[in-house]
Amino acid sequence: MASMNISLPDPMRDYVQDRIDSGQYASASDYVRDLIRRDRGGIENEERWLRDLDGSIAQSLAEMAAGGGVDLDAACDAVLIELATTDGQHRS
């Protein structure tokens, strides 16, 4: 296993030491390894989310190109008309 030296400001070093003293980690190396695993997992989750989003956008664009979907302006106009009609009925 390779070693790496890092420098931390005193408050950060104290925080790591507190985590070790509380029994959450066996050593500073254990703490850093856990942080790296969590960071890698977060990056993988973000990449997966972006791929899923890209797929969803592509699917939506394909549906729109095939004549599916709803025109946003028309949908908003319909909602505004409904709100105006409903609002007028409640004030009577």
Side-chain angles (χ1 to χ4, degrees):
M1 184 179 301
S3 64
M4 178 183 289
N5 295 320
I6 61 169
S7 298
L8 298 173
D10 288 343
M12 292 180 92
R13 185 201 64 216
D14 294 344
Y15 179 78
V16 172
Q17 190 59 52
D18 287 344
R19 301 287 301 237
I20 295 165
D21 293 345
S22 72
Q24 293 173 305
Y25 294 94
S27 65
S29 294
D30 187 36
Y31 181 76
V32 171
R33 284 191 294 269
D34 186 50
L35 290 177
I36 292 169
R37 281 191 294 273
R38 290 174 189 234
D39 183 50
R40 289 173 81 183
I43 290 170
E44 290 167 3
N45 287 339
E46 183 178 313
E47 289 171 349
R48 186 177 317 109
W49 181 83
L50 289 171
R51 280 192 307 274
D52 290 348
L53 179 61
D54 286 345
S56 177
I57 291 170
Q59 181 181 0
S60 296
L61 290 173
E63 286 178 20
M64 293 297 289
V70 176
D71 179 79
L72 181 58
D73 288 331
C76 289
D77 289 344
V79 169
L80 291 173
I81 290 169
E82 178 66 26
L83 289 173
T85 303
T86 304
D87 188 43
Q89 291 175 359
H90 288 298
R91 291 185 182 192
S92 304

